[in-house]
Amino acid sequence: MDELKVLVIEDDDADADCLSSCLRRYSAEGSVSLDIRCVASAFDFEPERHPADLIFMDIEMPGVDGFSAARHLRELDRQTTLVFVTSLARHAARGYEVDATDFIIKPVEYGVLSRRMPRILHEVELRRRKTITISTRERTWTLDADDIVCVETTRHDLYYRLAPGASTGGEDPRVRGTIAEAESRLAGTGAFFRTSPACLANLDHVTSVGAADVHMDDGRAFPLSRSRRGPLLDALASRMGAGA
């Protein structure tokens, strides 16, 4: 597994140090590379500026509590693995509201953390396989590959066309790049097919194939090169046959 970016959101310095120390020990003993950073308050947590593979978030924080911060995170990013840290077990059930993977009781004990980490890291790996992160100077997007209807290029810009309800506030991210670069980035995250030199379509969002275009489930239609129509139909048939 590649190095994981871990973010600890904890307002108590002693608790933050304890959790970070346990994570560093697990990293050393488990041969797992963890890049651990800490944020002292939910006020300071901005998902766009703090991309992470795994977040440990305190629930009871002054001002903005962990649940409020987690809801904000999920509005922008449904993929990052989230673990709540709490001194009150009764709060843990609410983690389902924001798709939390687990919860750990404070003060964190190394034995407890080490037993939980394999399951947590397995979840991280599953989510990472279907997640891409793209950045501009303005912000960073963490995208679920399943939400990407297609990627198309106009001049030197790539537009990631997203399904309604995707966690980007209705905005289709635009970055500099080529279709070939997008195809390479999305390799292994899902079933993407180059329908033309300027478009990469997600097969799971295709509803029908015309003579010269392909129709998607969000109502969009994109050009389909004549030479690519047969291979596209074969890819769709294979996808359906595999039970995807």
Side-chain angles (χ1 to χ4, degrees):
M1 182 182 290
D2 296 336
E3 182 180 71
L4 300 182
K5 293 182 178 179
V6 180
L7 182 65
V8 174
I9 305 175
E10 170 61 71
D11 68 303
D12 186 288
D13 290 342
D15 286 334
D17 290 343
C18 177
L19 176 54
S20 297
S21 176
C22 288
L23 288 168
R24 285 193 294 269
R25 178 179 171 184
Y26 185 85
S27 178
E29 294 183 358
S31 299
V32 178
S33 181
L34 303 178
D35 175 15
I36 304 164
R37 294 166 295 147
C38 295
V39 173
S41 166
F43 282 117
D44 300 323
F45 172 54
E46 299 178 30
E48 304 94 330
R49 295 180 54 201
H50 298 98
D53 299 299
L54 172 60
I55 294 176
F56 288 88
M57 185 179 293
D58 181 21
I59 292 179
E60 304 94 15
M61 289 185 287
V64 179
D65 62 66
F67 287 115
S68 298
R71 282 192 290 270
H72 178 52
L73 168 70
R74 289 301 184 227
E75 288 173 358
L76 301 171
D77 168 12
R78 294 205 293 261
Q79 292 305 299
T80 297
T81 301
L82 175 64
V83 175
F84 278 129
V85 184
T86 177
S87 58
L88 299 173
R90 61 183 173 83
H91 287 323
R94 292 186 60 194
Y96 293 109
E97 299 174 15
V98 289
D99 192 23
T101 294
D102 204 345
F103 75 95
I104 297 176
I105 298 296
K106 296 196 293 185
V108 176
E109 297 179 359
Y110 179 72
V112 174
L113 179 72
S114 63
R115 288 193 296 272
R116 300 286 185 86
M117 283 298 287
R119 175 178 176 272
I120 292 170
L121 294 178
H122 178 67
E123 181 70 14
V124 171
E125 183 63 20
L126 289 177
R127 290 174 180 253
R128 287 181 79 188
R129 290 176 189 172
K130 305 204 76 176
T131 300
I132 67 166
T133 301
I134 58 176
S135 301
T136 65
R137 283 182 292 182
E138 290 77 26
R139 62 167 294 183
T140 295
W141 287 270
T142 300
L143 304 179
D144 181 346
D146 289 342
D147 287 338
I148 301 172
V149 176
C150 80
V151 184
E152 60 176 339
T153 183
T154 301
R155 296 180 181 175
H156 299 293
D157 290 330
L158 287 172
Y159 291 84
Y160 286 77
R161 305 302 187 187
L162 303 180
S167 53
T168 59
E171 181 180 359
D172 284 346
R174 181 184 71 177
V175 296
R176 303 288 283 183
T178 66
I179 283 291
E181 291 170 346
E183 190 170 29
S184 175
R185 179 182 290 267
L186 288 165
T189 64
F192 289 87
F193 187 92
R194 187 96 69 96
T195 61
S196 73
C199 183
L200 186 66
N202 187 337
L203 296 182
D204 292 336
H205 286 278
V206 173
T207 56
S208 63
V209 178
D213 56 11
V214 56
H215 297 261
M216 314 302 287
D217 57 10
D218 67 344
R220 294 183 175 109
F222 298 101
L224 175 61
S225 300
R226 181 182 301 178
S227 63
R228 299 177 190 268
R229 188 174 187 278
L232 172 60
L233 292 173
D234 290 341
L236 287 168
S238 177
R239 187 79 173 154
M240 293 176 63

